[in-house]
Amino acid sequence: MHFLHLALSLLTASTTVFALEPLTVKGRKFFQNDTQFYIKGVAYQPKVNAEFTTTVIDPLADAANKNCSEDAKLIRNLGANTIRVYSVNASLDHDKCMNAFKNESIYVFLDVANPSTGIDRTDPTWTTTQYDAYKQVVDVFSKYNNTAGFLAGNEVVNNASNVPSAAYVRSAIRDLKSYIKSKKYRSIPVGYAGADIPDIRNELAAYLTCNATNTPQDNATEADFLGYNNYEWCGNSNFYASGYAARTNELQNITVPIFFSEFGCNIISPRTFSEVQAIYSKNMTDVWSGGIVYEFSEEVNGYGLVNITSTGERVKNADFGNLQKQWASVNPEKMSLLSYNTSDTRLPECPARNKTSWAVASDAFPITPNATFCDDAVKNLHCSVQGEPKGSKIGQVLGELCYYDQEACADISSDPYNGHYGKFSGCTGKQQLSFALDAYTKHHGDEACSWGGVGVLS
Ligand SMILES: *[C@@H]1O[C@H](CO)[C@@H](O)[C@H](O)[C@H]1NC(C)=O
Ligand SMILES: *[C@@H]1O[C@H](CO)[C@@H](O)[C@H](O)[C@H]1NC(C)=O
Ligand SMILES: *[C@@H]1O[C@H](CO)[C@@H](O)[C@H](O)[C@H]1NC(C)=O
Ligand SMILES: *[C@@H]1O[C@H](CO)[C@@H](O)[C@H](O)[C@H]1NC(C)=O
Ligand SMILES: *[C@@H]1O[C@H](CO)[C@@H](O)[C@H](O)[C@H]1NC(C)=O
Ligand SMILES: *[C@@H]1O[C@H](CO)[C@@H](O)[C@H](O)[C@H]1NC(C)=O
Ligand SMILES: *[C@@H]1O[C@H](CO)[C@@H](O)[C@H](O)[C@H]1NC(C)=O
Ligand SMILES: *[C@@H]1O[C@H](CO)[C@@H](O)[C@H](O)[C@H]1NC(C)=O
Ligand SMILES: *[C@@H]1O[C@H](CO)[C@@H](O)[C@H](O)[C@H]1NC(C)=O
Ligand SMILES: *[C@@H]1O[C@H](CO)[C@@H](O)[C@H](O)[C@H]1NC(C)=O
Ligand SMILES: *[C@@H]1O[C@H](CO)[C@@H](O)[C@H](O)[C@H]1NC(C)=O
Ligand SMILES: *[C@@H]1O[C@H](CO)[C@@H](O)[C@H](O)[C@H]1NC(C)=O
């Protein structure tokens, strides 16, 4: 009888598609079905076929990564329930890889940027070009139940001098949230992964999650969650010496889920991952939702849980077994969705603007890039850019032109400290140059249109 029963259940199993409930966010916690969910994650970005390509190395691309299924099983065996992927190419197929991870009940946090579309901290922009690229990633990955969240940036802000770039991150989050809503996709949360920078880390957390626009929660523009890349706990540290106690206290008023989007200091090797005991303990679980260990494969910086040989074999380092034991030994208390009361939750105050330490306004953000608006406006110009000049050429001409005639660049310029964003500041670089050249020509006569050899009169 037992054998018959087993055979029948195997038969049914093979005909049903394995279902995985999407994660949801309520208040400062993640939920799976109606039970709280703690992230036990690994950063997953093996340099798949790295020697053959200079383009984005997409570890979730079916064609490039033949090892998704084996890796998903190995990662499940490690005790993880989540991976984080830093860069994908939205024009490739991802069904097989995403399914392989889904089959092992593994969720995916995905960065939407790649090196050419990310927000540049020293010269931040939020343009139709970037928005379109991010939308493509959202279009592709929103159909998978195991997409846990999108990261609109990783360590964009990394010191007090580039704080203005935070405004662009907040706009990217706002616009991706509104895009997901407008497409009626599942309500996948959009967040950000921050670097651990003592001068600004708390202001940044508040800035990205604060009640900036005084709008009701249902069209709120703030981040849905925050990741924190943190390497403070090295070797056998403890809750206090590591800084974890201080960080937990500092973030107590943040009202969205927070987790370590990277952790695992490797100064002392092999790593014992003793911090796992603290992360999933009552000391931290009111504020934190777990963390993501950096990282699956050994790369030049030496954080690999496994080494990948030239034949594709995965060789476990001691860290792998150590982490596996730690994760298996923690069992954090899980709240039920229904008993979690968030009715009196208020978003935090926005940080005060300060010329030296926090030089960005929080009552206005970069405008939503709108391609139709830009395309229409550029049609009516007297002087505009023809052909396809290189990005570097556009940058050079704009730099010179705006230096000589600031006013001609008013509509494409931004001033994050005062919260002023030009109405064409979200257009493509080529369009911005057209607007600037047109205004410059108005000031200096038709001949001025030929600056840099890119402008043509209509
Ligand atoms: C996706 O999640 C929904 C619930 O939101 C569930 O009904 C469905 O079966 C899941 N699909 C897959 C393929 O896991
Ligand atoms: C979540 O609910 C689905 C049915 O909707 C069930 O198949 C699955 O086992 C549940 N998952 C967990 C982790 O409870
Ligand atoms: C994405 O993949 C397509 C198709 O292989 C390729 O043409 C393109 O260059 C890739 N993009 C990036 C940014 O790697
Ligand atoms: C996922 O599981 C299904 C059902 O067991 C199976 O048909 C499919 O081949 C698996 N996919 C991958 C990529 O492992
Ligand atoms: C915000 O949401 C409310 C309620 O759904 C709606 O009335 C209002 O128009 C929305 N505001 C904006 C700016 O979208
Ligand atoms: C958190 O909020 C409480 C009540 O408003 C306040 O007293 C406390 O100083 C805040 N803590 C931090 C770290 O911001
Ligand atoms: C939790 O905090 C207490 C002190 O409040 C400390 O003694 C204990 O070691 C901490 N637990 C963990 C797992 O870090
Ligand atoms: C990874 O993929 C390669 C190429 O298909 C294969 O030779 C290798 O055995 C795979 N490794 C594992 C661990 O499955
Ligand atoms: C993995 O590679 C690193 C760096 O080359 C090396 O130090 C380490 O011994 C390797 N681990 C194993 C298990 O081979
Ligand atoms: C945001 O601020 C407005 C105005 O002060 C308030 O009505 C609203 O409840 C706040 N929203 C949240 C979620 O705190
Ligand atoms: C701005 O921040 C600096 C450094 O934190 C501080 O010394 C200064 O008092 C602040 N200025 C104002 C106007 O708050
Ligand atoms: C984009 O701009 C066009 C043309 O000005 C306008 O009709 C449209 O409403 C705008 N779209 C959004 C989402 O604001």
Side-chain angles (χ1 to χ4, degrees), residues 6-62:
L6 184 66
L8 277 173
S9 62
L10 278 174
L11 210 67
T12 24
S14 64
T15 52
T16 25
V17 177
F18 175 72
L20 186 69
E21 291 284 316
L23 296 184
T24 55
V25 171
K26 182 179 177 187
R28 50 164 62 182
K29 300 181 191 305
F30 290 109
F31 289 89
Q32 184 188 41
N33 293 359
D34 51 10
T35 308
Q36 191 183 346
F37 180 85
Y38 290 95
I39 295 167
K40 291 177 176 172
V42 223
Y44 184 71
Q45 196 80 29
K47 303 281 179 290
V48 184
N49 290 340
E51 62 275 31
F52 301 121
T53 175
T54 53
T55 52
V56 168
I57 296 157
D58 181 345
L60 297 174
D62 302 341

